[in-house]
Amino acid sequence: IEKVRRLETRRLESGPTMKSSSRTSALLTVAMAAVALAAVCRTPSAGCSDGGAMLSPHMHHNIAILPSDVYPGYGIKQFASDNKYAYFRLLETGFSQFFAVLKDGLLMTTTDLGLLVKRPVNLVVLEESPNATFTHNMQLFVLEKREMLRFAGDAAYPDGKVSENKPAGTRVRGVPVLHAFGEGVAGLPIRYAIVDGNDDGAFALKTAENIIAGNITNKSYYRGVHLVTKRPLDREQRPSYDLIVQAADGSGIDKAYATVHVDVLDENDNSPVFEQALYKINVDGFALGIDNGTVGPGRYSAVGRVSASDADGDRVAYRLSAPSAAVVVVPQTGELLVSDDVLRSREYFECQLTVDAHDLREPSRVAERPATVWIQYNFVVLDDDVLMQDFGAYDDGADHRVYKRRVTRAVRPTKRIEFTETDGEQEGRSVFPLEKETEKETFKIRDENPWVTVEPNGAVRVKKKWDYEELGPEKTIDFWVTITNAGVGGAISKMLKHANG
């Protein structure tokens, strides 16, 4: 650098000749015509930064590759300064007839560069301001276009596709062999690498010899690399990638870049998942009267809803695991609707259902854990024992009126207790007591049961010796108990006893 400065100082002290002054004026005329040109350098991005290794606090080292057929006025580099009073000039290094620097820092060509092919060109740009002077080193390499490293076409591959969950080494479809042509500055070997977009290490490069690595070195101009997966991908975590693949010559100076877009294709690898494992639904608005008649919400009224989601984004449909006479489920929405049987019978004070969910794809996936639905109908009972009828004369115009006193009865949850066959061997044995909520409560079995009886104090006793083989396929003893609280109406509770052999 000092040598270059001394040469420049001697040139200035000797004074410019008329010829050199005219030449400088002509060069500046050409340069001024190209002021609006953008600075261009061979990097992945459109802009050119003042990057590179910093050799000293006041000098920056830059490298650029130029094709030999660039036109005069071609912008090579736009130098920038933090000082608004700074101006730039090119020091003499033997190449002044080919290049010029405007005062605002634009480095450009001024003539044909054919004479500089394969010759190292070193330029020094001086940045001067009232308080400081900086020197920028610029190294240029001029190559024939056919010798510059380049990928085929426009080096953009937007249609890459690979399915999720595929094993490592799966080739990305829609991306051809990535092959850089040209010798560059130093020739072989050509080194390929993914330099951007692969932050999670999802992709690698593969040679014809089936070598898979993040960086590949090829010692032949006739071989490229394939883009492959480095691990199984998950579309739900990341649906697409934008990668930049670099090819560099043996010196690492000349480089070419290819952009690759990869979409991760969805596979049906997720089953629907219910928002809740257990749905508890209480339904009000029902009334029971004489002859088991029921008044309440209309047929197929909605009493609740189950919901499941699919991580693949698929639509979900619902169905009951087993048919139910009490409830139907709407496949498209998961709504639970009251069936006719509930409106006609007293047997469905409480019901438990299992609902499955499956996605609408082929092949379909079913929820690994179905949802359990517990529905309790809260009835207001029209008590048969307090019906009062007032019959008038049976002649014409007579009125027939029925007066009904409403008695509210709650339905307590079903009690489920497991026993063995030996627990019921002794007739009259008390197997378990019913819990009282108040001291005034009394109990009575609603319907006769061959296996058990219920005493007023709540003691459940063996009525007949239990026989496991006679209990039926479900091996249960089911019975309803009416609970009366003196002077306050009553409640109904269902007992379900499992007998194990």
Side-chain angles (χ1 to χ4, degrees), residues 70-124:
V70 295
Y71 49 82
Y74 178 86
I76 302 172
K77 171 82 175 178
Q78 175 69 63
F79 291 95
S81 175
D82 295 331
N83 192 322
K84 64 179 181 179
Y85 299 107
Y87 66 92
F88 298 83
R89 61 189 177 92
L90 183 66
L91 299 183
E92 178 60 54
T93 59
F95 302 100
S96 298
Q97 69 269 33
F98 299 100
F99 306 97
V101 176
L102 302 185
K103 287 185 177 181
D104 66 353
L106 179 63
L107 173 65
M108 59 175 58
T109 62
T110 59
T111 187
D112 181 74
L113 302 182
L115 297 177
L116 301 180
V117 172
K118 292 190 175 181
R119 288 178 57 189
V121 177
N122 296 299
L123 302 178
V124 179

Side-chain angles (χ1 to χ4, degrees), residues 446-460:
R446 196 187 74 177
D447 303 306
E448 287 297 321
N449 187 286
W451 303 105
V452 294
T453 184
V454 179
E455 295 184 352
N457 64 359
V460 179

Side-chain angles (χ1 to χ4, degrees), residues 66-69 114 117-118 142-148:
L66 299 176
S68 60
D69 60 352
V117 172
K118 292 190 175 181
V142 180
L143 300 176
E144 296 287 351
K145 257 190 175 178
R146 66 177 181 274
E147 295 178 350
M148 297 177 68

Side-chain angles (χ1 to χ4, degrees), residues 351-381:
C351 63
Q352 182 173 308
L353 312 166
T354 302
V355 181
D356 288 321
H358 62 93
D359 56 27
L360 298 178
R361 286 193 50 186
E362 292 294 338
S364 179
R365 293 180 68 99
V366 179
E368 296 179 0
R369 296 183 179 180
T372 300
V373 181
W374 180 79
I375 302 177
Q376 179 173 307
Y377 297 98
N378 300 320
F379 290 90
V380 174
V381 182

Side-chain angles (χ1 to χ4, degrees), residues 294-494:
T294 306
V295 179
R299 179 186 182 190
Y300 298 134
S301 296
V303 296
R305 182 176 182 176
V306 295
S307 181
S309 59
D310 190 296
D312 294 320
D314 300 327
R315 293 174 57 193
V316 178
Y318 305 88
R319 63 189 175 210
L320 295 176
S321 298
S324 171
V327 174
V328 295
V329 62
V330 180
Q332 296 86 352
T333 64
E335 283 187 297
L336 302 170
L337 309 181
V338 179
S339 70
D340 282 347
D341 286 353
V342 172
L343 302 178
R344 291 195 300 262
S345 172
R346 292 182 185 229
E347 292 300 319
Y348 297 106
F349 286 107
E350 178 187 78
C351 63
Q352 182 173 308
L353 312 166
T354 302
V355 181
D356 288 321
H358 62 93
D359 56 27
L360 298 178
R361 286 193 50 186
E362 292 294 338
S364 179
R365 293 180 68 99
V366 179
E368 296 179 0
R369 296 183 179 180
T372 300
V373 181
W374 180 79
I375 302 177
Q376 179 173 307
Y377 297 98
N378 300 320
F379 290 90
V380 174
V381 182
L382 301 181
D383 200 327
D384 301 351
D385 298 331
V386 294
L387 286 176
M388 296 178 293
Q389 298 183 352
D390 181 14
F391 296 96
Y394 283 92
D395 54 2
D396 292 338
D399 293 331
H400 301 274
R401 296 186 297 275
V402 177
Y403 301 92
K404 302 180 180 179
R405 177 164 63 89
R406 294 180 178 268
V407 180
T408 301
R409 291 183 179 174
V411 180
R412 294 185 184 175
T414 297
K415 181 184 292 292
R416 295 175 175 85
I417 304 176
E418 291 192 1
F419 293 94
T420 63
E421 188 178 32
T422 57
D423 292 325
E425 288 184 346
Q426 181 181 351
E427 295 182 1
R429 178 191 175 189
S430 177
V431 287
F432 70 94
L434 297 175
E435 297 85 357
K436 291 184 178 183
E437 292 186 355
T438 68
E439 288 298 326
K440 296 181 179 181
E441 284 185 345
T442 59
F443 302 87
K444 178 182 178 182
I445 193 166
R446 196 187 74 177
D447 303 306
E448 287 297 321
N449 187 286
W451 303 105
V452 294
T453 184
V454 179
E455 295 184 352
N457 64 359
V460 179
R461 297 185 179 277
V462 178
K463 184 178 181 181
K464 173 186 174 183
K465 181 181 178 181
W466 297 350
D467 188 331
Y468 184 80
E469 304 301 329
E470 294 183 11
L471 286 179
E474 295 184 359
K475 307 304 180 187
T476 60
I477 301 173
D478 301 333
F479 58 95
W480 288 92
V481 176
T482 301
I483 307 169
T484 304
N485 195 353
V488 190
I492 299 176
S493 179
K494 184 180 181 182

